[in-house]
Amino acid sequence: MTRIGLLMLEQLHCGIDVSKKIAADQAILENVQRKAQGDYEDNMAAARRAASRPQQPIVVQVPQPAS
């Protein structure tokens, strides 16, 4: 957000065309968002697989005192 604000200020104050910089930033953000969505979907699929498997009982062995 800060970068976009600075770019807009640069465009308004200095009259410099920043549309290419904004487009490049937007492409990077979309790529990161796509990767995050893919990671989320992978994690959800792994969670569904883990939930569908029967749980193994937890066995706790307590040491017995020596007699």
Side-chain angles (χ1 to χ4, degrees), residues 37-55:
Q37 183 65 30
D39 290 347
Y40 172 78
E41 290 171 2
D42 291 345
N43 289 337
M44 290 303 290
R48 282 191 292 274
R49 285 192 304 273
S52 68
R53 280 183 258 151
Q55 293 185 357

Side-chain angles (χ1 to χ4, degrees), residues 27-64:
I28 290 170
L29 289 174
E30 288 173 0
N31 188 25
V32 169
Q33 185 178 18
R34 223 178 352 265
K35 183 185 179 311
Q37 183 65 30
D39 290 347
Y40 172 78
E41 290 171 2
D42 291 345
N43 289 337
M44 290 303 290
R48 282 191 292 274
R49 285 192 304 273
S52 68
R53 280 183 258 151
Q55 293 185 357
Q56 298 294 327
I58 299 173
V59 177
V60 179
Q61 295 182 348
V62 179
Q64 299 296 321

